[in-house]
Amino acid sequence: MNPLGETPNVGVPEHIARQMTIAEQQEWLQWFLRGRRVSRRSALKGGASVLAALGLAGAPWVPAACSRATRTELAVVGRHLSFGADPATAMAIAGELTGKPAGRVLVDLGTGPDYGHTMETEVRELVSMVPQQDGGIRGADQFFVHALAAGLRAGTSYHYRFRLPDGSTTPDATFRTAPARGEAAPFTFTAFADQGVNTGPRDGQNGFDDNYYKPGDLRRSGTPADSMVALIAAQRPAFHLLAGDICYADPSGTGQPVQNNAPREARTGFDNFDPTLWTTYFATIEKSAAQAPWMFATGNHDMEALYDHNTAPGGASHGYAGHAARLDLPANGPSRCPSVYSVVYGNVAAISLDANDLSQEIPTNAGYSGGQQLSWLSGILRAFREDHSIDFIVAFFHHCAFATSGTHASDGGVRATLAPLFDQFSVDLVVQGHNHQYERTNPIRAGRSTRQAPDGSRIWPAQDGTTYVCAGSGGRPRYAWQPGESDRYRGGPNPDSGTVVRSFVAGPAGTKTPETVDWSQSRYLDYAYLSIEVRPARPGGTASMQVKAITDLGKEIDQVELMRAVPA
């Protein structure tokens, strides 16, 4: 099955490896290591003898954060929050440990800085064995700590901290639970996609280094991904939505088997992968995510084949096993889809969808849910529209149903499956990513603009249709528009460049079907996030949701207001 020299040597004995796929070799290696535990401290001390015991003598064994093993103090880094299934009563609290704890890790929690309640945490170990093109293994042993605070009071501020076995604690942090259903109080949430990190040049696909920007990409801060986190943290939103492509530990984004080679590219048919980039990422977002829940959808760069090998279609494990160790996502969606869920905050229902299941452009995971996601979505949309305490429905996912660019544009599979449901149930706002740019559409129904909605407009989704925003402007290097197309935003050089744009719909096997669209209202080819201000109303009044685009320099460039009549 694997003739010598045609597949990488990942440390499996040759006579066994000949009859194993890459995925089976990875499973064998993880089984082998589980039976022969080697601590990071022992690996440092043991040197060649440890590698020999693993069958990896002479291979580059680089356990992630091994240098931490020389430290005497354990610490929690990259704290981040996530809503539980009911945002009014449950909050998940998480972080990464700098090593394996020698005792219990606790969370102190209370409505004041004296806390008063203590919870024991769960520590999830994630061992990542990354094959290298030269036949070696690069290893990472990471420990993620999690606690679920349940039975909380709605609309209440809480203090929390982690307490380590030696008695040391993290700094105090605070969060606020969602208001009780039906309570009317204004709030703000934020959103973007395609964030990544701003560190230094890293191993990755050519043109995808984290600090790589186009020569003319000068209308930005020095580090857009960091700058927008700082702006969001200062704003203290009720929560933040990230519509996929989180940290780019997998820089190529095709969900193929993993095989690394420094400094630039993986072999054809393989993806590069660096699990330690997640440590950098959580540290980057901590200034916001430690105080406001960050809710993640999954994009194509979040399919990490190292862990469960993407055995789509039908019952696939889809490359999300690493996220199960790192993230806490509400488990209230379809059973096959761990990143599909919903949360209700005040009068807004937010729905995370997995566009990897629907994409025609990148079909690695297409169809893995066996239709379960769409069936669930239809039911939850119906339930939300029948719930009079919910005014606005926001969907967020990665691949675009409606967007223009010179790179991905619109995905035919996503548009064909989601847009009819959004029309049927009058979804108010859709947040997308994938295209590294900001673009807002006119309200759309049946694939066409129902009206013009320039900057400053009021839109009535019940009559006008759904507004789609591509917010893949979260920090990764920008893309380009179609030839001859240009920016169109407040204060820009071409404010009258029009809403009719030549683009394409991405389909199977790399096909691109040209189309001329009439709905591309606002376009900004740089870095921006969404700030969404919600103003509920009493029965008989009018609720509003003001959607603003804010650049990484803190400048507002676009704004519309979505309106809903509240039944008397």
Side-chain angles (χ1 to χ4, degrees), residues 248-263:
Y248 289 81
D250 179 339
S252 47
T254 55
Q256 298 181 100
V258 170
Q259 187 185 110
N260 282 9
N261 183 49

Side-chain angles (χ1 to χ4, degrees), residues 33 97 199 242 272 275-276 318 388 395 441 511:
L33 291 170
L97 295 166
T199 52
L242 201 157
N272 273 317
T276 68
H318 37 52
H388 294 308
T441 72
T511 59

Side-chain angles (χ1 to χ4, degrees), residues 13 31 88 96 102 138 171 226 247 254 277 287 293 306 313 315 362 379 434 460 475 488 553:
W31 165 82
E96 184 175 352
R138 183 171 187 255
D226 295 349
C247 84
T254 55
L277 201 62
K287 61 176 63 72
L306 181 73
I362 301 176
H434 204 38
W460 295 81
R488 188 174 194 264
L553 299 173

Side-chain angles (χ1 to χ4, degrees), residues 161-232:
R161 68 183 181 186
F162 285 95
R163 182 150 46 94
L164 298 169
D166 64 359
S168 63
T169 63
T170 59
D172 179 70
T174 61
F175 65 80
R176 187 174 182 84
T177 55
R181 295 282 286 272
E183 288 190 1
F187 64 94
T188 298
F189 67 97
T190 53
F192 59 38
D194 301 83
Q195 184 183 5
V197 298
N198 294 115
T199 52
R202 304 186 64 87
D203 298 348
Q205 298 296 75
N206 191 20
F208 274 87
D209 288 334
D210 290 302
N211 279 339
Y212 173 82
Y213 299 103
K214 301 290 192 298
D217 190 2
L218 304 176
R219 189 178 54 197
R220 62 175 176 85
S221 63
T223 55
D226 295 349
S227 298
M228 285 186 287
V229 172
L231 290 168
I232 290 167

